[in-house]
Amino acid sequence: MIKLDGVEKAFGRNRVLRGINLEVPRGKSVVVIGGSGTGKSVLLKCILGLVQPDSGRIMVDGKDAGRGDRDAFLAQFGMLFQGGALFDSLHVWENVAFRLLRGSLKRPREEARAIAIEKLRRVGLKADVADMYPGELSGGMQKRVGLARAIAAEPQIIFFDEPTTGLDPIMAGVINDLIREIVVEMGATAMTITHDMSSVRAIADNVAMLHGGVIQWYGPVADLDNSGDPFVDQFVHGRAEGPIEAVR
Amino acid sequence: MSVLSPVAAIGRSTMGALAAIGRIAIFAGRTASHVFRPPFYPREFATALAGIGYFSLPVVGMTALFTGGALALQIFAGGARFNAEAVVPQIVAIGMVRELGPVLVGLMIAARVTSSIAAEIATMKVTEQIDALVTLSTHPIKYLVVPRVLAALITVPILVGIGDVIGVFGGYLVGTLRLGFNPAAYIQNTVDFLEFWDIASSLIKGAAFGGIAALMGCFYGMASERGAQGVGRATKASVVAAAVLILAANFLLTQAFFSV
Ligand SMILES: Nc1ncnc2c1ncn2[C@@H]1O[C@H](COP(=O)(O)OP(=O)(O)OP(=O)(O)O)[C@@H](O)[C@H]1O
Ligand SMILES: [Mg+2]
């Protein structure tokens, strides 16, 4: 379980997170929605410790995220970065198998490569991309390689930052199913950021809406359409008119 | 605006430079603390050895060859003013080995290696690849910095040694083909004149300059700000810092080795 308590983060005078309270139950899939630039990516980075929160507490399975053995802490996470963040000096398969080639999960290269190719297949990529470099792939393909890398070591907690952005509708469906499968079959806990409402409905158990630096609304996905929250209503229906200003 | 503003500016930049030196020292300390602690990354180390060492050979060779040749011409012309043309082999040897070899190789490494390390690491920083490394339980200093700095510490002295030899050879070519020195005598004079300590100091300087060059590339790369501009600024700052530190370190080392 991930529990955030009053998490705040500002960059200079830009107060991005202003007191986030959120609980993500173990084995559940929580989707974070919210306008562009509201701090969704920063929120995930705070949990991972890539960005140091100014105040507040982050607990993962009852343990303070900032303390203790950092390697062991990070070993339970997988993360898909919004921009892919693939290592462009390594082959695609070496990216996917990064964790399996070094450190505590190290295994023979052939075995790691076989696992990488299997994970690539699960995100809809053929085996022949394995020996290409990330720079040779399209944006959507890079995104899916990033996804394969995030799930390669079968982590217990997975963060997906906009997994379906830039994918065609069919591929987006494949990825939605995959994320659902990882949560249901592997019992992983997932936090996904997305702007795609059909993704939200396909992936989420719970939905959290981030607005104005706080969690504006948090509830089960079934309540999304009758949340009674004007912010959520405006966002879900994509209306220009409403409490959320169009220019931010 | 007051008349004091240039003074204030000097004060500010001095403070800035001192702060930067402090941060670099901390960074160097952290790098050193990771050298002997596993995990080790032999693949990255091998890549760095090739990139810093092997692929720098052509540029080092050209630099040394032309400098040795020019040095011979100058010493011959200068020596002629007091009938001391005959010292060309000795002065070329000592000038190349003690000073010009290490310094010029160091500066070429700053141009070629520091810049590429800084640009590569800064690009990794701004495209979140460094963040991705961390989430994959890999320490960026261990994985990116330690292999490069170690490779530079090992290969740059070798490059300096090669540069010294090629530089002396450049002097030999000019001396024998243009200035009429006897080939056998030229070599004999060079070999007899050079002492162990001349060569050892040259290689020690090489290690120091290599360490500085790689460390500056890594430091400024890791400190890069966002965007393409951030990468550009990091690269420029790294080369300037490496060049200045190499020249300053050269003075201090020369002072330490040869002042009586
Ligand atoms: N390293 C940083 N330094 C300074 N400001 C930052 C940094 N990272 C994020 N920000 C700022 O924090 C705010 C939130 O950024 P974030 O990337 O979390 O947005 P987001 O909600 O993920 O938006 P999007 O949906 O467009 O990806 C932005 O105003 C951004 O400028
Ligand atoms: Mg984002």
Side-chain angles (χ1 to χ4, degrees):
Chain A
M1 190 182 75
I2 304 170
K3 190 166 184 297
L4 289 89
D5 201 1
V7 172
E8 296 185 22
K9 178 67 197 179
F11 294 99
R13 285 170 48 208
N14 180 10
R15 290 176 59 205
V16 180
L17 305 179
R18 310 185 179 191
I20 301 281
N21 300 309
L22 182 66
E23 275 187 36
V24 179
R26 177 187 271 278
K28 292 284 179 202
S29 167
V30 170
V31 168
V32 181
I33 58 174
S36 181
T38 49
K40 303 179 297 296
S41 299
V42 170
L43 178 65
L44 293 192
K45 287 183 188 172
C46 280
I47 300 174
L48 288 167
L50 298 173
V51 167
Q52 214 52 49
D54 300 330
S55 62
R57 261 156 72 94
I58 299 171
M59 309 286 283
V60 174
D61 286 332
K63 278 182 257 162
D64 204 316
R67 299 216 193 94
D69 182 354
R70 196 139 164 74
D71 280 350
F73 175 76
L74 287 168
Q76 55 188 335
F77 284 93
M79 164 94 184
L80 165 66
F81 285 85
Q82 188 168 357
L86 300 177
F87 305 122
D88 33 34
S89 58
L90 299 179
H91 289 112
V92 164
W93 80 266
E94 291 172 312
N95 265 280
V96 175
F98 193 87
R99 251 181 209 275
L100 310 176
L101 289 170
R102 37 182 82 68
S104 54
L105 295 173
K106 187 172 166 135
R107 58 194 73 198
R109 273 179 91 74
E110 275 316 306
E111 197 183 323
R113 189 186 152 89
I115 295 173
I117 288 175
E118 159 62 15
K119 298 295 173 189
L120 286 171
R121 194 189 56 74
R122 293 196 69 181
V123 297
L125 289 169
K126 294 207 197 81
D128 45 352
V129 302
D131 291 308
M132 295 165 99
Y133 284 100
E136 298 171 296
L137 305 181
S138 76
M141 290 163 89
Q142 291 184 13
K143 194 105 215 194
R144 286 184 281 152
V145 174
L147 194 66
R149 183 174 72 182
I151 63 172
E154 302 184 352
Q156 291 132 37
I157 306 169
I158 316 188
F159 292 167
F160 302 104
D161 197 342
E162 306 199 5
T164 56
T165 307
L167 301 186
D168 65 69
I170 299 170
M171 209 33 88
V174 170
I175 297 305
N176 289 338
D177 291 348
L178 174 67
I179 293 176
R180 197 63 229 170
E181 216 175 288
I182 289 168
V183 173
V184 174
E185 283 172 19
M186 290 162 44
T189 307
M191 274 182 90
T192 309
I193 296 171
T194 183
H195 293 294
D196 175 356
M197 293 320 290
S198 62
S199 251
V200 177
R201 292 174 210 284
I203 298 173
D205 292 312
N206 294 338
V207 178
M209 171 147 180
L210 184 61
H211 182 76
V214 298
I215 300 295
Q216 173 72 26
W217 184 80
Y218 184 50
V221 65
D223 294 353
L224 195 62
D225 289 310
N226 40 26
S227 62
D229 186 301
F231 291 88
V232 176
D233 271 347
Q234 186 193 350
F235 196 86
V236 170
H237 297 107
R239 285 194 284 261
E241 302 294 313
I244 306 175
E245 287 167 39
V247 180
R248 275 167 267 140
Chain B
M1 287 302 279
S2 78
V3 284
L4 283 178
S5 62
V7 180
I10 292 171
R12 256 197 312 280
S13 56
T14 310
M15 294 298 284
L18 287 178
I21 290 172
R23 282 197 299 275
I24 290 169
I26 293 170
F27 186 77
R30 284 177 58 199
T31 303
S33 78
H34 280 284
V35 169
F36 297 107
R37 271 189 288 155
F40 305 112
Y41 299 108
R43 254 165 209 280
E44 279 61 40
F45 181 58
T47 312
L49 279 181
I52 296 172
Y54 184 70
F55 293 113
S56 295
L57 274 174
V59 70
V60 163
M62 296 308 262
T63 309
L65 188 68
F66 289 126
T67 306
L71 198 58
L73 289 176
Q74 287 284 19
I75 293 164
F76 189 79
R81 293 182 193 169
F82 41 92
N83 295 322
E85 301 94 327
V87 297
V88 167
Q90 289 89 336
I91 305 293
V92 165
I94 206 167
M96 254 348 269
V97 171
R98 281 188 178 191
E99 286 294 321
L100 290 174
V103 168
L104 290 178
V105 170
L107 292 179
M108 292 317 280
I109 294 293
R112 194 186 164 276
V113 172
T114 307
S115 60
S116 90
I117 292 179
E120 184 182 359
I121 294 185
T123 305
M124 292 185 73
K125 173 96 184 281
V126 303
T127 55
E128 298 184 320
Q129 291 179 51
I130 305 269
D131 282 346
L133 270 183
V134 173
T135 63
L136 293 165
S137 309
T138 301
H139 201 298
I141 290 198
K142 249 193 209 349
Y143 182 76
L144 296 173
V145 179
V146 168
R148 287 170 171 78
V149 172
L150 276 187
L153 281 174
I154 293 170
T155 54
V156 177
I158 298 173
L159 289 172
V160 167
I162 295 170
D164 289 348
V165 172
I166 295 178
V168 168
F169 179 67
Y172 166 86
L173 284 183
V174 170
T176 53
L177 299 179
R178 288 273 319 271
L179 307 174
F181 280 84
N182 173 292
Y186 192 105
I187 292 174
Q188 195 59 49
N189 279 334
T190 302
V191 172
D192 287 348
F193 189 72
L194 281 179
E195 290 171 4
F196 166 78
W197 191 235
D198 296 326
I199 295 162
S201 73
S202 187
L203 303 185
I204 292 171
K205 281 182 176 182
F209 301 165
I212 289 171
L215 203 64
M216 289 304 101
C218 295
F219 174 78
Y220 282 95
M222 298 281 270
S224 168
E225 290 153 33
R226 313 175 106 195
Q229 243 188 358
V231 177
R233 244 181 271 155
T235 308
K236 180 188 69 184
S238 74
V239 176
V240 171
V244 170
L245 282 180
I246 283 172
L247 293 172
N250 180 58
F251 173 74
L252 293 177
L253 288 174
T254 299
Q255 167 91 13
F257 291 149
F258 299 113
S259 69
V260 271

